[in-house]
Amino acid sequence: MGGITRRALFAGSALGAAGALLPTAGPASAGPRAARASYRAAYHFTVPEQWKNDPQRPVWIDGTYHYYYLHNADYLAGEIGTAWRLATSTDLVSFTDRGIAVPKDTTPNGDVWSGSAVIDTDDTAGFGAGAVVVLVTMSPHDGPADQAQYLYYSTDGGRTFTPYGTDPVLPNPGVRDFRDPKVIRDEEHGRWVMTLAENDKVGFYHSADLRSWTYASGFVKGGIGVLECPDLFRIRAEDGTPKWVLGVSANGKGTGLPNTYAYWTGSFDGSAFTADASEPQWLDHGWDWYGAVTFDKRGSDGTLDEGARYAIGWLNNWDYAHIAPTIDSDGFNGTDSIVREITLKRGGDGTYFLASRPVAALDRYVSRTVRLGDLEVEGTRVLDYEGTAYELTCDITWDQLTGAGVQLRRSPDGVRHIDAGVHRDYAYLNRRPTVSPDMTGRWQESRSPFDPARRAVRLRVLVDRTCVEMFVDDGRYVHSSAAFPYLVDAGLALFTVEGRAVFRDTVIREFRV
């Protein structure tokens, strides 16, 4: 998200309001972190201090994922501008902070925005075989047509980077939005391909050496806001069909669509992308899964899995990016979604879609399991469980009812909670009854399609201190939203609307990362 990252990353009044969300203490049953009034996530990635926003596509180097993200170390001082900070992981659940990799303000071009890193295995750029090359947007004067693409390179395995001069490798041709380069290797044609966000268009560019670029074509889509953080990848569907996927971060709220990651399946001939359908699908239907990136799934030996990818998104929204109690309680503002594994499936109507599930390595961090079995519910049933960070799974079945779901982070008096479930012909996640970051009151309940004739739904819900992620059935529909419940709100209840249901194989898992 190029231009937005240049805005002042400090808002005193908003942060002051967020500070009021902090209770003085939490119940012992909510855990030791709640007792000291911490809003830091228990098992989601969070920036160590200050500010983070866009994830940058992780790359696999020497058996380790290198995850870069935009970071502002001067957030609390009210200074603007981001650098690339690095965290490494072998399993995409536990991360080790490695500090700043691509610094800001070390050249006349200022800070660094979103882009992508690639491994130049064949030394096409001339920095040495295996050099890590970053293409990144910078805007020296923050002008409307000032965004251009610059190059940094690393010869120490992606830990530190050197600027390749101070001139852009892809200058701005005089357009307002020209940012967020995503580079992939096109082995078939022996060249690099860049996708670039250009307002309502994704531009495609070619390069032999990563240092000079030629325009190839453009994919235009209006009506979903300014397109940002483009993504292009090839994936093999479960039925064996290879497909290309083009993704963008986009804001469709004005027309009742999500404000997350829109994508199209289709074909790519090395120069142009042809979509299977004009309208996009959405990889998340919640309010807060923005600036998301997908990346290679590698085995422990580095083998590429062509039938799956990983994905991670920023659990925030520019409409209220600075309203977070974490800045007062723990000195940071920036939480990511859990890393997901995504696969390509074919629906009954012949349409291909991306399905999501939490990364499998999360299973290795389970610290406690509570098995509640099959529970009959008619109305509201409060469970004998309290927690602020956990996973809930259940299969809900019924003969006839209007809706069913779970009340998460329920207050002791039952007034405040987050609702997740199904109602008639849609699945939903509703944060209205709790402390929501959306001060307008308009963006509280997210929805996705649901077929009530099935009379059954499987829910997998990840709950953490400041977020909820709901995976519905096969993961075609996911809802991710930020919320800031009081830390004393640790209850859990099941409910139905106008009918009876059985919540089968109800299991709660807690994690220690």
Side-chain angles (χ1 to χ4, degrees), residues 309-321:
R309 287 178 71 79
Y310 290 125
I312 187 171
W314 180 45
L315 275 170
N316 209 335
N317 188 304
W318 282 113
D319 286 351
Y320 40 74

Side-chain angles (χ1 to χ4, degrees), residues 100-297:
I100 298 299
V102 184
K104 66 177 180 178
D105 301 329
T106 56
T107 77
N109 300 313
D111 60 328
V112 289
W113 299 0
S114 281
S116 58
V118 295
I119 311 301
D120 189 12
T121 305
D122 298 326
D123 191 23
T124 65
F127 304 120
V132 184
V133 177
V134 161
L135 277 298
V136 62
T137 300
M138 302 176 77
S139 181
H141 309 293
D142 200 23
D146 197 38
Q147 299 167 16
Q149 317 321 312
Y150 296 78
L151 188 151
Y152 285 75
Y153 65 94
S154 170
T155 57
D156 63 359
R159 292 295 182 91
T160 61
F161 286 81
T162 301
Y164 176 64
T166 57
D167 293 331
V169 295
L170 181 56
N172 191 309
V175 298
R176 182 176 182 84
D177 298 295
F178 196 70
R179 58 179 182 261
D180 307 342
K182 190 69 60 66
V183 178
I184 62 172
R185 181 67 182 171
D186 180 359
E187 294 294 355
E188 181 180 352
H189 298 95
R191 63 194 178 197
W192 299 95
V193 175
M194 175 195 293
T195 55
L196 197 66
E198 303 176 28
N199 198 276
D200 64 350
K201 181 181 80 172
V202 175
F204 296 91
Y205 297 79
H206 293 154
S207 176
D209 59 9
L210 294 167
R211 293 183 284 108
S212 59
W213 294 87
T214 302
Y215 179 75
S217 70
F219 178 87
V220 178
K221 174 58 182 177
I224 52 175
V226 175
L227 308 184
E228 298 188 294
C229 303
D231 195 13
L232 178 69
F233 60 89
R234 186 178 184 271
I235 187 170
R236 188 174 298 279
E238 289 187 346
D239 66 4
T241 303
K243 283 282 185 180
W244 282 88
V245 176
L246 176 65
V248 293
S249 282
N251 184 354
K253 289 194 300 186
T255 56
L257 296 171
N259 180 194
T260 58
Y261 180 107
Y263 72 92
W264 296 261
T265 61
S267 59
F268 181 67
D269 64 5
S271 295
F273 178 82
T274 302
D276 292 333
S278 60
E279 295 304 313
Q281 301 184 69
W282 297 82
L283 198 49
D284 197 291
H285 284 254
W287 302 120
D288 304 303
W289 202 70
Y290 203 76
V293 293
T294 70
F295 55 103
D296 291 344
K297 180 184 179 183

Side-chain angles (χ1 to χ4, degrees), residues 93-106:
V93 178
S94 177
F95 291 83
T96 300
D97 177 52
R98 303 296 183 183
I100 298 299
V102 184
K104 66 177 180 178
D105 301 329
T106 56

